[in-house]
Every structure is written in C-alpha cells, then in structure tokens.
Amino acid sequence: MDDLWRSRWRGQTGRLEVWYTTLTDPATGTGVWLHHELVAPVDGAPAYGHGWIGVFPPDAPPAMARFGPADWAPPERDRVYDCAGATVSADRLAGAAGDLRWDLAAGDGGAPLFTFPPWAWRRQLLPAAHVVPAPRASFTGVVHTGSAELPLRGAPGGTGRIYGHGNAQRWAWLRADLGGGDVLEIVAAVSTRPGMRLLRPLPFLRLRLAGRDWPSGDPLLAAWRFRARIDLPRWSVTGASGGRRLRVAVEQPAERTLAVPYRDPDGRRSVCHNSERSDASISLDRRTPGGWVSERRWALAGTAHAEVGLPV
C-alpha cells in the first residue's frame, strides 16, 4: 500500500494524525464527512484514536456522532486505521458511532494531490503537512442514520491526510469536485508556532484540470502568491501564478454547518466549522496582452466541502 496512506507516527509525543473522507451523494445531495484521528499527547500519556461522522442531508439539520477515544494500536493487515470500531483502508471505510453506521467501498481515487510540497510530507520539516492520496474517489455502500438508510452508488469524494504537531491556530479548507475528474483542494492556515502565528494565512492549493496540476512547482513557493480571508459564513482565496488568476469565494450557511470542538496534543482547544453542503464560486482567468480574460467558471451549490477552524 502507498505510504501516503500509512501512519507517519513513530511514537513521538505531541503529534496529531488525521485520515478524513468527504463525499456527496449524487442522488439526494447528502454530504458525508468521516474523520479519524490519532493523538499522541505532549505529556507522554498513551496515544489514542477517536473521530466522528457527520451527515448533511439537504432537507434536515446535519447529524453527527463520535467514536472513541480508545487506546491506539497499530492496525493489522491492509488497514491503516483500526480504532474504536472504525476502520480505514485505501479501498474501504466502515464503523459505527452512536446511531450512525457506515460501510463504504472506495473506487480508484486517481493520482495523489500534493497541496503541500512532497518533501514536507515525507521529511516532516513543517509544523504540519497535508496531502490527498485519493482526490477523486467514488464511494459505494450505505450509511445508516438511526432507522434511515442512505444507499450510495458512485458518490464522488476524496480522502485526505494530515500529520504534524496539531491543528493550526486558524484555518480554512475546501474540496471542490468540478466534474470530469477535475478538482480543487485548498488549505489556508496560520501556524501556532511563535512568530509564525503573526503571519497572514498562507493558502496551499492545487487545481487539477484534465490531469494537470496548477500552480506548477513547489506549493510552498506558490502559496505566497495567494491571499486568504478567513471568516464565517464566508471566506475567500485569491491570487495568480504562471499567467493564471484564481478567485474562490466560499459560503457555509449556519444551518448546513456543524461546529466540532477539537483538542490538540498539548490540550489547546479549537472549533472546526464544517459543512459538506457549502456553496462555492470559482473563477479561473488567463492573462493576455489585453488583460485578464475568463478561462473557466464553476458555481457549486451545496456540493462544496468546506470548513473553517477557529481558536476557542
């Protein structure tokens, strides 16, 4: 199995590792969020696993249930996560939390999408790093919410990974399925590290169009060319690179959003405001001798996956 899926944790204290999956049911418009964590506290307490599932129907408030915490043990066989009754592998996710249950088979997710530089993920030289091993997967199976059943067939989505010393001081994230295998992934964040926390939010992003990723080159260098305004219910990212300009506006309506408390390995608290039924307006322009001209436009209504994290 590709090492982008496997745990990066090697027993160090003060580490946080995440496997997350989001998808949209094309038949009903329901969004699903599966979040799996490994937490190694800074005080040397035993590492533990926990997480949650969120379901975002179009005609009712979102529902959420947690699993764990439970002591962490290395998973067996082909699984990369197996804790508190929730399991993750490259081709399957299953588990139960409260009155929610899921069993999903994941189709081919395509080539990995490196929002952060590959060296940052492999060498762990930044406070945290993000990668998307399966940016354009499709999911088939079922999610049970109490006595209700949500059957899924070819639901588009993806699975991402985070590893580092904890959550950012504040952050914004977007996954936008643009159709035809095209996808946009954005992570804009402010680090908690002294000095770095005074910097503006730095947007790491990758836009995959027709199998090619933009901006080209090192994502860290490209990130300095973009600006993020992080707020609720609206946030945005704008910038230009290589003769192209990207403008992204995201809206997370309160009634479609879950507020989920987080606890970092050092005990610090933050709240993630997540909506798998967000709206997004995305514009890609190209520079010409006469100025900027429109290249592509996308308007996602209730199918963008987004979140904003803020300190308590």
Side-chain angles (χ1 to χ4, degrees):
M1 183 181 298
D2 194 297
D3 66 356
L4 296 180
W5 287 90
R6 296 189 185 280
S7 176
R8 306 290 293 164
W9 186 60
R10 298 296 181 266
Q12 310 97 317
T13 60
R15 296 295 190 275
L16 173 69
E17 187 159 21
V18 175
W19 295 255
Y20 70 84
T21 296
T22 62
L23 60 93
T24 297
D25 175 29
T28 65
T30 301
V32 178
W33 175 31
L34 288 163
H35 185 99
H36 309 77
E37 286 194 357
L38 160 61
V39 182
V42 296
D43 62 5
Y48 62 90
H50 75 130
W52 51 84
I53 177 175
V55 179
F56 300 76
D59 54 358
M64 176 189 152
R66 292 179 179 267
F67 54 86
D71 290 344
W72 176 262
E76 299 179 355
R77 300 186 296 276
D78 62 342
R79 295 172 177 172
V80 295
Y81 189 98
D82 187 350
C83 197
T87 63
V88 178
S89 65
D91 58 5
R92 195 168 197 88
L93 301 100
D99 66 350
L100 302 179
R101 293 176 290 124
W102 62 96
D103 190 353
L104 303 174
D108 179 24
L113 200 64
F114 284 95
T115 48
F116 278 56
W119 57 260
W121 180 260
R122 296 184 176 118
R123 301 179 189 175
Q124 303 172 27
L125 298 178
L126 297 178
H130 174 269
V131 66
V132 189
R136 51 179 301 269
S138 62
F139 297 88
T140 297
V142 63
V143 175
H144 297 273
T145 306
S147 60
E149 182 177 286
L150 175 67
L152 298 168
R153 183 178 296 277
T159 295
R161 300 271 283 109
I162 303 166
Y163 182 72
H165 294 261
N167 292 292
Q169 182 185 57
R170 55 193 178 101
W171 71 90
W173 164 80
L174 173 71
R175 173 196 154 74
D177 188 328
L178 307 177
D182 297 338
V183 64
L184 171 64
E185 190 103 8
I186 297 175
V187 178
V190 177
S191 173
T192 60
R193 293 288 181 87
M196 296 179 70
R197 72 184 86 183
L198 301 177
L199 298 174
R200 61 175 175 82
L202 194 59
F204 293 82
L205 65 90
R206 273 296 181 264
L207 173 63
R208 178 164 291 171
L209 290 176
R212 301 188 66 178
D213 295 347
W214 176 87
S216 61
D218 190 300
L220 178 58
L221 297 179
W224 292 101
R225 304 186 186 109
F226 292 83
R227 296 289 185 273
R229 295 181 180 272
I230 299 177
D231 204 349
L232 283 171
R234 300 174 186 86
W235 59 274
S236 64
V237 170
T238 59
S241 177
R244 280 171 157 173
R245 179 178 66 183
L246 183 70
R247 293 174 290 172
V248 179
V250 180
E251 181 165 1
Q252 299 181 215
E255 68 274 12
R256 299 188 225 155
T257 298
L258 287 170
V260 183
Y262 279 67
R263 184 185 290 273
D264 277 290
D266 62 0
R268 184 176 51 87
R269 294 177 180 270
S270 57
V271 176
C272 168
H273 303 267
N274 179 286
S275 175
E276 303 307 313
R277 296 200 67 252
S278 297
D279 303 326
S281 172
I282 302 167
S283 301
L284 182 67
D285 303 323
R286 182 178 294 278
R287 189 193 300 274
T288 71
W292 293 105
V293 297
S294 175
E295 181 177 347
R296 298 284 296 274
R297 295 284 187 273
W298 298 269
L300 281 64
T303 62
H305 305 167
E307 70 180 37
V308 168
L310 300 171
V312 174

